[in-house]
Amino acid sequence: MSSNRPTPAPQLPLLASLRPDFTWGVSTSSFQIEGGAREDGRGLSIWDVYCQSGEIKNHDTGDIACDHYHRYREDVALMQRLGVQAYRFSVGWPRVLPLGRGLANEPGLAFYDRLVDELLAANIEPWLCLYHWDLPQALEDLGGWQNRESVAWFADYAALIATRFGDRVKRFATFNEPSIFNLFSRSLGRRDRASEAGLYRATHQVNLSHGAAVDVLREKIRGASIGCIHNLQPCWPSSASEADAAAAARVAVYWNYAFPDPQCRGEYPPEMRAAIEPHLQPGDLARICRPLDWFGLNHYSPVYVKAQADAMLGYDFGEKPADVALTQIGWPINPEVFDETLRLAHQRYGLPIYVLENGYGGIDKPDETGAVIDPERVDFLRGYIGAMNSASASGVDVRGYFVWSLLDNFEWASGYSNRFGLNYVDYLSLQRIPKSSFHWYADLIRAARQ
Ligand code: FCB
């Protein structure tokens, strides 16, 4: 591990308005870091299958990823060096239930036992997310989220996790970014499923699965603190045309409100009601809208949208205006929008907010001395954390911030080409190299906790 460290540490943002008990953390997800894909009885996930479809950049796969499955101790030690108080990870459903239901896989459960115990020994609170997109392929073969049985499958899976880990884990998220996986993973690999009717059917069943899992976790775990994690970002038209404005408005409703509105307000957004209606049974909205302890917010950037008549929801990503600042992977940088998004989540949902993902995607490389110097990521984090402090000053109840991500990892359809980590991962040697942003974030946490 490199000991190179740039000094002096770049200036920290204002933190004065954050709560004294504010939680600083990092986030990851199972498929993106674990590897060990064929080990110890793990079943296949839909992402193992997508990776064979030829649609992932460089034909990358999750077979080895960051090898976190074997290197979790080293990774927890990195978190300890960072000084984070919390770590959000996800359980790979096919690792613990290879066929998605039925017989549990003891070695898979034992891996998460070891991880949780290692975290607790390091005084880092585990935040366990049940679903970060790696559906067991065996359930996809039965229709996946299109099948109303998925509600029972997910509730049974939640019960297994609650029974096994509820003595040590108290923070649970049901889903990560349901609007994003419903919009995007559906068009990968299984194009036959990419119909709008299917999108709304799956949307409703994921919402019902959320409600069912909340009830199971609440019933089985004393002191459980439960939420769902939503990606909120404004969708802006990429031109002045009416068609682009209409497309942006349509996708904005789905992207931002299709899940948190029914889960936290007990109703679908008016624009979506006719499409949901065919799938709605009496009592469903009450099953979805269960009491929650917090709102998980993931935010990166505004999205520019253009009309695309033959695409799902009639939109596609559009050109970004030439004067917009971009990350190295082309995502707009706009901390003010983060402040606005925090206010919106606060006003619309009224729950304590934990920012469970925010971060900078780059194409980092070690320099000739082996150090990874990433001032762009530091600037990004400084701007966004500063914006969060402003939101907090204006009364937004924000209680935690987790950087995406602890490690560079498998960035879905972009494979390993996009790097979001505070630690660089050399995918040949699997060595982790803390980037300069790692040291900066460690300094920030130390300053904030003084
Ligand atoms: C989010 C995902 C996460 C990661 C980041 C960059 O949408 O939840 O897995 O890919 O984007």
Side-chain angles (χ1 to χ4, degrees):
M1 211 175 287
S2 162
S3 60
N4 287 316
R5 167 173 190 166
T7 48
Q11 206 197 326
L12 299 176
L14 276 179
L15 303 168
S17 299
L18 301 177
R19 298 161 60 99
D21 62 351
F22 195 84
T23 301
W24 297 98
V26 281
S27 291
T28 65
S29 89
S30 43
F31 191 80
Q32 293 177 277
I33 64 166
E34 283 179 4
R38 305 282 181 280
E39 274 176 72
D40 294 341
R42 177 183 176 277
L44 283 183
S45 78
I46 52 176
W47 275 93
D48 296 289
V49 175
Y50 294 160
C51 286
Q52 302 308 315
S53 71
E55 294 179 53
I56 311 296
K57 195 160 175 192
N58 301 323
H59 299 278
D60 287 338
T61 73
D63 289 357
I64 298 174
C66 307
D67 196 32
H68 173 76
Y69 188 66
H70 299 111
R71 293 167 197 253
Y72 66 94
R73 279 203 184 89
E74 180 183 348
D75 293 338
V76 173
L78 285 168
M79 293 179 221
Q80 239 181 332
R81 276 179 65 194
L82 258 181
V84 290
Q85 297 138 281
Y87 172 54
R88 172 194 155 209
F89 64 100
S90 72
V91 168
W93 188 346
R95 194 178 290 290
V96 299
L97 283 166
L99 297 177
R101 55 188 184 149
L103 216 56
N105 180 37
E106 180 51 35
L109 290 164
F111 165 68
Y112 295 107
D113 274 334
R114 292 194 295 277
L115 173 62
V116 165
D117 291 345
E118 191 76 13
L119 288 164
L120 294 174
N123 207 14
I124 297 169
E125 188 182 27
W127 286 57
L128 187 158
C129 177
L130 289 174
Y131 189 79
H132 200 124
W133 309 358
D134 42 0
L135 186 73
Q137 179 61 35
L139 298 183
E140 177 70 5
D141 293 341
L142 298 173
W145 300 111
Q146 300 283 319
N147 185 336
R148 201 167 156 123
E149 284 294 303
S150 57
V151 181
W153 304 332
F154 194 64
D156 289 348
Y157 163 52
L160 171 72
I161 297 300
T163 309
R164 179 75 174 223
F165 304 106
D167 57 337
R168 288 157 293 159
V169 180
K170 299 297 173 193
R171 302 281 195 168
F172 289 91
T174 53
F175 285 92
N176 176 68
E177 298 189 353
S179 69
I180 302 304
F181 79 75
N182 274 287
L183 269 179
F184 298 114
S185 78
R186 295 168 45 71
S187 60
L188 273 165
R190 299 290 294 261
R191 294 199 180 278
D192 53 317
R193 293 258 170 83
S195 77
E196 246 171 64
L199 173 71
Y200 288 110
R201 182 198 302 274
T203 297
H204 189 55
Q205 278 149 196
V206 167
N207 272 323
L208 286 165
S209 303
H210 158 84
V214 172
D215 286 347
V216 165
L217 295 167
R218 197 72 81 197
E219 184 205 298
K220 292 198 178 292
I221 305 172
R222 186 191 301 243
S225 174
I226 307 170
C228 184
I229 306 166
H230 301 287
N231 181 304
L232 301 190
Q233 10 215 52
C235 302
W236 290 336
S238 59
S239 81
S241 85
E242 266 179 43
D244 288 354
R250 204 164 39 243
V251 68
V253 170
Y254 185 85
W255 187 306
N256 294 298
Y257 304 137
F259 294 88
D261 272 23
Q263 292 176 12
C264 307
R265 292 157 65 102
E267 57 185 19
Y268 280 97
E271 298 87 337
M272 278 180 57
R273 285 182 197 158
I276 290 288
E277 183 59 37
H279 314 295
L280 201 64
Q281 295 181 13
D284 275 2
L285 289 171
R287 288 185 194 104
I288 293 170
C289 185
R290 313 300 299 146
L292 294 173
D293 301 291
W294 42 267
F295 186 93
L297 173 67
N298 292 356
H299 177 85
Y300 290 87
S301 66
V303 176
Y304 290 89
V305 166
K306 67 176 181 193
Q308 175 80 41
D310 58 353
M312 202 163 54
L313 299 185
Y315 88 100
D316 202 346
F317 293 109
E319 291 292 308
K320 294 143 201 156
D323 57 347
V324 169
L326 301 175
T327 65
Q328 288 165 349
I329 63 161
W331 292 14
I333 302 176
N334 193 333
E336 262 173 48
V337 170
F338 184 38
D339 182 347
E340 286 160 19
T341 303
L342 282 158
R343 289 170 205 241
L344 179 142
H346 175 69
Q347 280 156 13
R348 195 169 175 103
Y349 303 114
L351 286 165
I353 298 172
Y354 287 90
V355 177
L356 292 177
E357 279 185 36
N358 176 240
Y360 179 98
I363 45 170
D364 316 74
K365 281 194 193 73
D367 66 15
E368 57 292 346
T369 72
V372 183
I373 309 296
D374 56 346
E376 299 86 358
R377 182 169 289 104
V378 169
D379 282 349
F380 179 97
L381 295 175
R382 184 195 297 113
Y384 276 73
I385 293 171
M388 176 174 69
N389 182 67
S390 307
S392 182
S394 69
V396 173
D397 183 5
V398 54
R399 300 193 180 182
Y401 176 91
F402 293 49
V403 172
W404 183 271
S405 180
L406 173 69
L407 304 170
D408 292 341
N409 60 47
F410 177 83
E411 178 50 24
W412 309 116
S414 306
Y416 296 100
S417 61
N418 293 356
R419 294 178 176 270
F420 277 88
L422 295 173
N423 290 287
Y424 178 88
V425 176
D426 174 336
Y427 291 112
L428 291 177
S429 67
L430 295 164
Q431 188 196 358
R432 281 87 163 120
I433 303 175
K435 303 178 189 176
S436 40
S437 56
F438 174 102
H439 301 296
W440 180 86
Y441 193 46
D443 285 345
L444 177 138
I445 295 172
R446 209 171 304 116
R449 297 187 65 188
Q450 263 165 20

